[in-house]
Amino acid sequence: MSFITPPTEIAQVRRRRILIVGKSGARKTTAILTSPKPVAVISYPGELGWDTIPDNDPDVYKRVWSEDTGKGIRADKVIKAIEEEALGIIASGKCKSLWLEGLHHFTSLCLDDVTDGAYLRGDEFEPKQYGLAYRMVFDHIARLSNTMTPVVGWTCWAELKAERSKRPGEKADDIPKKVLPALPGQLPHQIRGRFSVMLYQALHIRKAKDGSAVKNERGEIVRDALWQVRDTGDILCSGLKGPAAVVEKIPTLIPADYQAFERAWDKASQGS
């Protein structure tokens, strides 16, 4: 074993390892269907966004967990089934994109596994067991990322989380809060390094040229799903890895569409 300089095609594939973070209803599932087809979508147990995925599209392969994980099913067996399903799709070579929906649900399974069920029961457990669960999540991401599937991505809920621990005499409401992935403990911060593309997705009011809100025929305000590619303000769950000269030229907000992302990257790469 030795170190090598990775060839260009591997670097190209790695920048398509994606995490999309957004609140429920931000149209994350709709966005992932814009990635190269055929596309496979695995909904982690507990994830309910799969109703958005079409049933009869030959270019979309939808996989949904069929059992209730709360009825005595061991977390380790569920995790094993998830990985077998995902690696089987990758090994088939039939899909250009693989998405796994609801990383927060998978993380809960890992915590439940390392705590022998205490986590989902609401029982106390040793804080050091968080680290074991984090490692399981990281290994899972690495196993699926270190493949030749062109696009591998995950979605995760977003939530307001305390920026730091509470200080003596301080109230919880006094602690500044930021928008982070809805993951436990320090995982929202540590997971950033696992993806080359991390996007925050939210709905933004569409504006007319005069700055007014655009409305549809029913008089309702039109909102567009946008991807934020770098952190600003309270958003701490976005960022791109790549040559600085390229990344800094990509607009902070782009349409929540994979092809729009590729166009923005290519335009930045060409220096235009």
Side-chain angles (χ1 to χ4, degrees), residues 60-98:
V60 178
Y61 184 58
K62 177 166 68 171
R63 305 299 288 163
V64 177
W65 186 252
S66 62
E67 301 176 67
D68 184 350
T69 54
K71 293 184 177 180
I73 300 176
R74 284 174 46 183
D76 61 330
K77 292 187 178 298
V78 179
I79 292 168
K80 181 179 179 182
I82 292 168
E83 296 221 328
E84 288 178 348
E85 185 70 29
L87 292 172
I89 291 170
I90 290 170
S92 74
K94 295 179 180 179
C95 293
K96 293 182 179 178
S97 304
L98 170 63

Side-chain angles (χ1 to χ4, degrees), residues 204-214 222 224:
H204 294 251
I205 296 174
R206 188 184 300 177
K207 297 293 183 67
K209 291 182 178 179
D210 63 1
S212 62
V214 173
V222 177
D224 296 314

